[in-house]
C-alpha cells in the first residue's frame, strides 16, 4: 500500500487540544506512543438523529474534568507514566464523500498498525468501526469483537453505508469471528443465527458482574479483541446525547465494573461512538464517554504490566 500521502502530513488532522490534555501529535505514525487517539467526526451514515460528528470535540472537552487526577480511582496507577498516549486530532476527509472517508480512515488505521500503534477512536456514528476493522483484520486475521450497544447492528437493509449494518458487513467480509465475539446491552430486535453470544440488557442488569466477566473471558479467550462501544448502550437517563436512544439500558457504574474486568483480554483496538452533543444535558453523555474511554486505557496499563 502506498502510504506516502498519509505520513508527515499535518493537513490530515485538526484540533486545538488533546483528550485528557494528552499531547497533540500530527505525525502519529512516527511518534513514540503505544496508543493513538483519533477523532472521527463523521455521521453521514446515521439513520436517526444526526450530530455525532461533533462527538470527538465534546468528548475531549468533557475529558478536561478528568485531567487533574494523577491516580484514577480505583486503579492507583498514573496512566501518563505507564502508557504512552497521544492524540492526533480529527481525521479530515472530503466533505460529503463517504468513500473518501472510508478509504482515509482505513489507510490511517493501517499506517498506525504498521508502525506498531494501537487505536482509540472517538466517533462519529458507528459506521466508523467498519473501515477500522478492515485495517485490523489485515494485520491480525479474524478478530473477536466485544460490542456494547442497544442495537445488534446487523439489520439487512441492503445499504452499503449505514451505521446499523456494520456488524453484518464485518461478518460477510469475514473480519470477525462470531464464535469468540460478544454483544452486550442489546435491547432491540436481534437474531441468534450468526453465532454471537448476546448478553442483552436484561441479562447484564440482573447478573452478577463476576459471572459476566468470566463468561466474556471464556468466550474471547486469547483471541485479539476489538472493543467497540456505542454510547446508546447506556440508558438515556445517563446518556441522553445520542441519535438513537433506547430506554432500559446499562448504568455507567455497571459498565465501568465490566470494563475493569477486561484487563486480561488481548485488546488490540477500541472505539467509542454515537455521542451527539446537541441532545446532551450538561455534558453528561460526553463525560460518560470520556470516562469510559479513559477506563479502557487503564485496562491496558494493567495488561502491559501483566
Amino acid at each position: 500500500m502506498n502510504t506516502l500521502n498519509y505520513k508527515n502530513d499535518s493537513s490530515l488532522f485538526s484540533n486545538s487540544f488533546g483528550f485528557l490534555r494528552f499531547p497533540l501529535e500530527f505525525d502519529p505514525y512516527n511518534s513514540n506512543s503505544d496508543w493513538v487517539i483519533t477523532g472521527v467526526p463523521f455521521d453521514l451514515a446515521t439513520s436517526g438523529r444526526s450530530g455525532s460528528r461533533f462527538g470527538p470535540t465534546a468528548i475531549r472537552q468533557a475529558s478536561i474534568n478528568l485531567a487533574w487526577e494523577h491516580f484514577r480511582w480505583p486503579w492507583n496507577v498514573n496512566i501518563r507514566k505507564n502508557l504512552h498516549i497521544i492524540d492526533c486530532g480529527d481525521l479530515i476527509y472530503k466533505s460529503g464523500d463517504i468513500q473518501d472517508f472510508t478509504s482515509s480512515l482505513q489507510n490511517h488505521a493501517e499506517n498506525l498498525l504498521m508502525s506498531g500503534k494501537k487505536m482509540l477512536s472517538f466517533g462519529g456514528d458507528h459506521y466508523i468501526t467498519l473501515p477500522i476493522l478492515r485495517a485490523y483484520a489485515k494485520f491480525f486475521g479474524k478478530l473477536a469483537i466485544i460490542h456494547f450497544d442497544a442495537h445488534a447492528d446487523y439489520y439487512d437493509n441492503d445499504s452499503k453505508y449505514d451505521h446499523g449494518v456494520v456488524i453484518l458487513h464485518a461478518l460477510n467480509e469475514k473480519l470477525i469471528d462470531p464464535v469468540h465475539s460478544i454483544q452486550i446491552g442489546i435491547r432491540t430486535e436481534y437474531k441468534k443465527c450468526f453465532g454471537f453470544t448476546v448478553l442483552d440488557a436484561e441479562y447484564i442488569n440482573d447478573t452478577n458482574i463476576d459471572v459476566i466477566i468470566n463468561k466474556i473471558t471464556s468466550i474471547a479467550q486469547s483471541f485479539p479483541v476489538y472493543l467497540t462501544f456505542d454510547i446508546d448502550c447506556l440508558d438515556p437517563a445517563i446518556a441522553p446525547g445520542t441519535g438513537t436512544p433506547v430506554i432500559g439500558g446499562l448504568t455507567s457504574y455497571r459498565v465501568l465494573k465490566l470494563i475493569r474486568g477486561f484487563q486480561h483480554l488481548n485488546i488490540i483496538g477500541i472505539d467509542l461512538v454515537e455521542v451527539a452533543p446537541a441532545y446532551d444535558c450538561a455534558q453528561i453523555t460526553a463525560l460518560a464517554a470520556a470516562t469510559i474511554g479513559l477506563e479502557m486505557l487503564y485496562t491496558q496499563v494493567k495488561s502491559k504490566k501483566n
Side-chain angles (χ1 to χ4, degrees):
M1 182 190 69
N2 184 355
T3 62
L4 294 178
N5 292 330
Y6 292 89
K7 290 189 176 181
N8 301 310
D9 186 356
S10 63
S11 66
L12 279 174
F13 309 100
S14 71
N15 226 312
S16 57
F17 62 92
F19 175 73
L20 211 74
R21 295 197 175 117
F22 286 129
L24 277 172
E25 173 57 69
F26 297 131
D27 182 15
Y29 317 120
N30 293 314
S31 66
N32 178 26
S33 57
D34 301 311
W35 283 82
V36 174
I37 296 167
T38 305
V40 190
F42 174 88
D43 61 8
L44 294 176
T46 303
S47 58
R49 304 185 301 185
S50 61
S52 59
R53 69 180 63 190
F54 303 109
T57 297
I59 294 169
R60 288 189 180 98
Q61 289 175 337
S63 77
I64 300 303
N65 295 292
L66 308 172
W68 62 272
E69 294 184 298
H70 297 293
F71 298 92
R72 174 158 178 78
W73 184 90
W75 292 102
N76 195 31
V77 62
N78 190 326
I79 195 170
R80 298 175 187 276
K81 293 182 178 179
N82 290 275
L83 206 63
H84 297 295
I85 304 166
I86 62 166
D87 187 331
C88 69
D90 287 348
L91 186 77
I92 293 176
Y93 57 94
K94 292 178 183 177
S95 179
D97 189 332
I98 299 181
Q99 187 52 55
D100 179 74
F101 162 77
T102 303
S103 300
S104 296
L105 181 54
Q106 183 174 340
N107 284 332
H108 170 57
E110 288 180 13
N111 282 327
L112 285 177
L113 293 172
M114 197 179 303
S115 59
K117 317 292 191 260
K118 295 178 182 178
M119 295 181 69
L120 168 57
S121 307
F122 293 134
D125 69 43
H126 216 155
Y127 175 76
I128 77 161
T129 303
L130 185 57
I132 297 173
L133 286 176
R134 287 170 177 158
Y136 266 90
K138 283 188 175 183
F139 284 80
F140 294 95
K142 276 190 179 181
L143 309 168
I145 191 169
I146 297 179
H147 172 208
F148 286 82
D149 208 321
H151 311 87
D153 286 358
Y154 44 63
Y155 307 109
D156 191 0
N157 57 9
D158 198 31
S159 175
K160 186 177 180 182
Y161 305 111
D162 190 317
H163 68 162
V165 296
V166 172
I167 298 300
L168 181 63
H169 285 315
L171 283 166
N172 289 340
E173 294 178 29
K174 296 180 170 41
L175 308 178
I176 55 179
D177 184 338
V179 174
H180 294 280
S181 298
I182 305 101
Q183 294 185 296
I184 298 172
I186 309 299
R187 53 191 185 277
T188 52
E189 178 188 0
Y190 66 90
K191 302 172 184 177
K192 296 182 179 179
C193 57
F194 291 115
F196 284 105
T197 297
V198 178
L199 308 181
D200 61 28
E202 183 177 32
Y203 176 86
I204 295 294
N205 283 328
D206 294 344
T207 306
N208 179 276
I209 287 288
D210 291 334
V211 171
I212 299 171
I213 291 170
N214 288 337
K215 188 175 185 70
I216 291 169
T217 302
S218 68
I219 293 166
Q221 297 178 11
S222 60
F223 257 64
V225 172
Y226 188 86
L227 180 56
T228 180
F229 195 104
D230 187 325
I231 203 67
D232 69 27
C233 183
L234 296 177
D235 191 271
I238 295 162
T242 190
T244 318
V246 182
I247 66 166
L250 279 56
T251 66
S252 52
Y253 173 79
R254 205 151 184 82
V255 163
L256 293 177
K257 290 276 284 184
L258 276 175
I259 291 170
R260 288 168 192 155
F262 291 174
Q263 58 189 277
H264 301 296
L265 295 177
N266 181 22
I267 296 174
I268 56 170
I270 302 167
D271 68 52
L272 205 153
V273 299
E274 299 286 356
V275 172
Y279 315 110
D280 206 358
C281 176
Q283 288 188 310
I284 61 172
T285 308
L287 179 60
T291 306
I292 289 167
L294 179 56
E295 205 77 23
M296 291 171 176
L297 290 173
Y298 266 97
T299 68
Q300 296 308 291
V301 174
K302 299 298 288 188
S303 177
K304 189 176 181 181
K305 285 180 175 295
N306 293 334

